[in-house]
Amino acid sequence: MLTFTSKSGRNNVEISEGEFAKLVSEFSHRTIGGSETPEQAARGWLLTDAARRADWRQRIAAFQEPTAEQIETEARRIAFECYTYDALTEPAGCHYNVGNLLMRANGGHRMSESMQADYAAAQASASRALCDRGVTDTDRVAARSSLCIDRDYCAHRLGVSI
């Protein structure tokens, strides 16, 4: 059994000599002409992978289940965005390319006065729609998923179910 330890001493990897030989063989094709040997590349990959997995486990352990209030707040934000998009895509809702307008609005880019007016009108329409129709269960499901996405990603990468 081979053991590799990171320079910081925080990560240890134990691997059989046979598995390491397979990994070195794989890296021998990737490192042709490179500045490191296949053994160094394999060792580096093992330690990087160990650090990545430790980070994922830590993020799962530190995750706190979203509260009902957090889910409702995120659901309102999602519903508002959907209603804004719906207002922009109505036949007379926007005089510009909707994707370009949203990119500018969400990215803080400059917009012409008429583009700002279209966006403000869509947001006003979205506010009215949110008051009239409220937040749907679909919005709540999307909100919960959005709030749990980091934990779910980490769990998927580690191959564990939550």
Side-chain angles (χ1 to χ4, degrees), residues 30-125:
R30 297 182 191 180
T31 59
I32 295 173
S35 61
E36 62 184 2
T37 66
E39 290 82 7
Q40 290 171 324
R43 180 181 185 274
W45 182 86
L46 283 168
L47 290 170
T48 299
D49 187 56
R52 185 181 306 118
R53 289 176 178 280
D55 178 56
W56 291 336
R57 282 190 289 278
Q58 186 274 327
R59 286 162 57 183
I60 290 171
F63 179 79
Q64 293 184 9
E65 203 62 40
T67 64
E69 182 179 317
Q70 289 171 321
I71 291 171
E72 194 64 25
T73 300
E74 182 69 6
R76 289 184 63 77
R77 186 193 65 73
I78 289 170
F80 183 78
E81 284 182 5
C82 290
Y83 292 141
T84 301
Y85 180 80
D86 290 346
L88 287 169
T89 55
E90 289 176 357
C94 184
H95 300 93
Y96 299 92
N97 177 293
V98 174
N100 188 25
L101 183 141
L102 289 172
M103 180 273 305
R104 288 173 178 273
N106 294 329
H109 301 282
R110 292 184 349 179
M111 294 190 289
S112 67
E113 286 183 25
S114 57
M115 189 180 273
Q116 289 176 10
D118 281 358
Y119 188 63
Q123 286 189 311
S125 175

Side-chain angles (χ1 to χ4, degrees), residues 11-46:
N11 292 313
N12 291 333
V13 176
E14 287 189 13
I15 186 170
S16 71
E17 291 182 27
E19 288 295 316
F20 187 68
K22 288 180 193 175
L23 199 57
V24 168
S25 173
E26 184 180 321
F27 277 97
S28 67
H29 301 293
R30 297 182 191 180
T31 59
I32 295 173
S35 61
E36 62 184 2
T37 66
E39 290 82 7
Q40 290 171 324
R43 180 181 185 274
W45 182 86
L46 283 168

